[in-house]
C-alpha cells in the first residue's frame, strides 16, 4: 500500500478588511474578520526522494500562473516543516484546485496550510498546534487562518488569528473572474491612493461583531467593508458593475473578496443564494457558484499509511 495523506483546506473571505499604513517590513497593518467558506483545494502527499509539486484544477479553473518550482507555497511549506525538525525529507505534493487562482480567496494559503498538515501526518511529526501556526505565519499572511478556519479576527499583517464565536450559517454567492488580480499590485494601488493622506490604523467596527453575535444576516450585509476594494476597482472598473448587479439581484451585501477579483454576495439562506446565483449567471459576467460559511480549516480527509 502506498503511503498517502489527503488534506482539504477552504477558501477565505474577509467580512471586514481594514488596511492601515505600510509597516517597516513593507506589509500593511490589517484588522480583519476572516470567514472560511465551502470552496476547497485538496492536497495529496506521498513519500518521495525530492520535494516536487504537480497542479490540476476543477474544469472551470485555470492553473496558469501557479508555479511548479521551489516558489510554490506548498513546496515552501514542506521544506519549512522539514527544516523545523532538522530533517531532509522529500515529498511528492499533488494539488487539486477548487479555489480560484489569484482570486482574492487565499487559494495559495490554503495549499500552504494543507501541505503543513499533510506532511506533519505523513512524516509522523506531531508538531504542536502553536508551532504549526507560527510556521504558517512565516509562509504567508493568510496561512494561519487557513489552518484555523471558521470565523476569526486577524491582526498584525493578517497572520495573528483569534477565533471568533459566531452563530448560524451564511450563504455566499461567489462570482469568479477568468483573469486574476495580483495582490501586491492592489496593495501598491492602495498606497498610491494614500500618498497624500496616509491610511489610519485599521479597526473592526463593533456593529459587525454584534451583528455576527446575534446572527443578523441583513446587518452583517450592511457592515461588510473592504479597504482594498476601491484600489482593486481602479484596476478593474468592470467589477463595480458586477457588485451593483448583485445588489439589484437582492443580495444583502456585495463586496470584493480580499484583493479581488472574486465578488461576494451575501444571501439570506441557501434558497436565496440559488436565486441570486441564477440572476447573476444570466448576465454571463463569469463563473457563479455559492458556498456556505463558516467551515473548518485544513483537515485530513484520508490517509493510507
Ligand atoms: O503574506 P502574503 O504572501 O500573502 O502577501 C502577499 C503580498 O501582499 C505581499 O508581498 C504584500 O505585497 C501584500 N501584503 C501587504 N500587507 C499585508 C498582506 C499582504 O502589503 N498585510
Amino acid at each position: 500500500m502506498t503511503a498517502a495523506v489527503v488534506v482539504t483546506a477552504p477558501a477565505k473571505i474577509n467580512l471586514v478588511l481594514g488596511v492601515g499604513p505600510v509597516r517597516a517590513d513593507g506589509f500593511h497593518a490589517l484588522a480583519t474578520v476572516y470567514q472560511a467558506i465551502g470552496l476547497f483545494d485538496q492536497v495529496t502527499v506521498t513519500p518521495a526522494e525530492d520535494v516536487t509539486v504537480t497542479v490540476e484544477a476543477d474544469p472551470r479553473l485555470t492553473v496558469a500562473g501557479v508555479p511548479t518550482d521551489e516558489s510554490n507555497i506548498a513546496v515552501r511549506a514542506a521544506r519549512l516543516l522539514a527544516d523545523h525538525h532538522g530533517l531532509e525529507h522529500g515529498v511528492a505534493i499533488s494539488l487539486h484546485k477548487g479555489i480560484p487562482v489569484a482570486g482574492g480567496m487565499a487559494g495559495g494559503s490554503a495549499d500552504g496550510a494543507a501541505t503543513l498538515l499533510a506532511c506533519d501526518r505523513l512524516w509522523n511529526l506531531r508538531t504542536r498546534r502553536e508551532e504549526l501556526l507560527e510556521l504558517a505565519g512565516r509562509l504567508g499572511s493568510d496561512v494561519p487562518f487557513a489552518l484555523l478556519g471558521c470565523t476569526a479576527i486577524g491582526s498584525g499583517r493578517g497572520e495573528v488569528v483569534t477565533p471568533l464565536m459566531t452563530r448560524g450559517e451564511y450563504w455566499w454567492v461567489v462570482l469568479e473572474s477568468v483573469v486574476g488580480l495580483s495582490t501586491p499590485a492592489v496593495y501598491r494601488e492602495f498606497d498610491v491612493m494614500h500618498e497624500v493622506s496616509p491610511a489610519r490604523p485599521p479597526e473592526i467596527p463593533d456593529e459587525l461583531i454584534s451583528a455576527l453575535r446575534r446572527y443578523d444576516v441583513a446587518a452583517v450585509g450592511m457592515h461588510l467593508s473592504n479597504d482594498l476594494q476601491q484600489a482593486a476597482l481602479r484596476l478593474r472598473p468592470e467589477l463595480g458593475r458586477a457588485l451593483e448587479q448583485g445588489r439589484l439581484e437582492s443580495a444583502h451585501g456585495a463586496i470584493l473578496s480580499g484583493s479581488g477579483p472574486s465578488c461576494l454576495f451575501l444571501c439570506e439562506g441557501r434558497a436565496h443564494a440559488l436565486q441570486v446565483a441564477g440572476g447573476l449567471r444570466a448576465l454571463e459576467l463569469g463563473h457563479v457558484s455559492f458556498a456556505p460559511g463558516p467551515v473548518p480549516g485544513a483537515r485530513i480527509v484520508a490517509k493510507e499509511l
Side-chain angles (χ1 to χ4, degrees), residues 16-210:
V16 164
L17 181 53
V19 182
V22 192
R23 314 188 313 186
D25 62 3
F27 285 85
H28 294 72
L30 296 189
T32 187
V33 176
Y34 289 114
Q35 187 167 94
I37 67 166
L39 282 179
F40 299 91
D41 276 6
Q42 182 166 299
V43 174
T44 305
V45 295
T46 50
E49 285 281 304
D50 299 321
V51 180
T52 58
V53 65
T54 55
V55 189
E56 50 157 38
D58 286 356
R60 73 179 199 283
L61 298 176
T62 163
V63 295
V66 181
T68 51
D69 61 10
E70 293 290 308
S71 65
N72 187 293
I73 191 164
V75 173
R76 293 198 290 118
R79 290 210 189 284
L80 185 66
L81 186 69
D83 278 356
H84 180 70
H85 290 278
L87 302 168
E88 287 186 4
H89 289 349
V91 64
I93 307 162
S94 150
L95 304 180
H96 183 99
K97 304 213 57 85
I99 305 172
V101 175
M105 303 185 81
S109 304
D111 302 343
T115 304
L116 280 178
L117 201 63
C119 289
D120 185 65
R121 184 69 190 85
L122 185 73
W123 299 334
N124 202 18
L125 299 172
R126 296 169 196 266
T127 312
R128 291 198 350 261
R129 189 83 179 154
E130 308 82 78
E131 280 172 52
L132 274 184
L133 285 167
E134 196 273 324
L135 295 174
R138 285 201 245 158
L139 288 171
S141 309
D142 295 331
V143 184
F145 176 69
L147 277 178
L148 206 62
C150 299
T151 307
I153 291 182
S155 58
R157 60 180 168 85
E159 89 288 15
V160 182
V161 284
T162 312
L164 181 70
M165 299 311 280
T166 63
R167 292 160 54 192
E169 190 172 57
Y170 293 84
W171 280 86
W172 300 92
V173 170
V174 182
L175 171 66
E176 297 171 9
S177 279
V178 180
V179 182
L181 250 178
S182 145
T183 301
V186 174
Y187 273 105
R188 274 198 301 276
E189 191 66 22
F190 176 89
D191 291 340
V192 169
M193 289 172 62
H194 290 85
E195 257 164 14
V196 181
S197 56
R200 289 213 292 265
E203 282 175 16
I204 294 169
D206 291 339
E207 293 88 344
L208 180 87
I209 301 291
S210 115

Side-chain angles (χ1 to χ4, degrees), residues 194-285:
H194 290 85
E195 257 164 14
V196 181
S197 56
R200 289 213 292 265
E203 282 175 16
I204 294 169
D206 291 339
E207 293 88 344
L208 180 87
I209 301 291
S210 115
L212 283 169
R213 290 232 159 94
R214 57 176 203 276
Y215 188 46
D216 182 339
V217 181
V220 169
M222 230 151 45
H223 294 290
L224 297 172
S225 68
N226 180 350
D227 286 352
L228 291 180
Q229 184 161 309
Q230 241 188 309
L233 293 186
R234 276 163 58 121
L235 300 173
R236 296 278 289 276
E238 74 276 14
L239 297 174
R241 289 189 287 279
L243 292 171
E244 191 47 43
Q245 285 297 339
R247 288 187 200 102
L248 294 175
E249 294 290 336
S250 79
H252 280 310
I255 197 170
L256 206 67
S257 182
S259 56
S262 304
C263 296
L264 303 166
F265 306 94
L266 178 58
C267 299
E268 189 61 45
R270 193 173 184 279
H272 187 211
L274 259 167
Q275 177 202 324
V276 171
L280 283 169
R281 258 181 216 130
L283 300 168
E284 299 187 356
L285 299 166

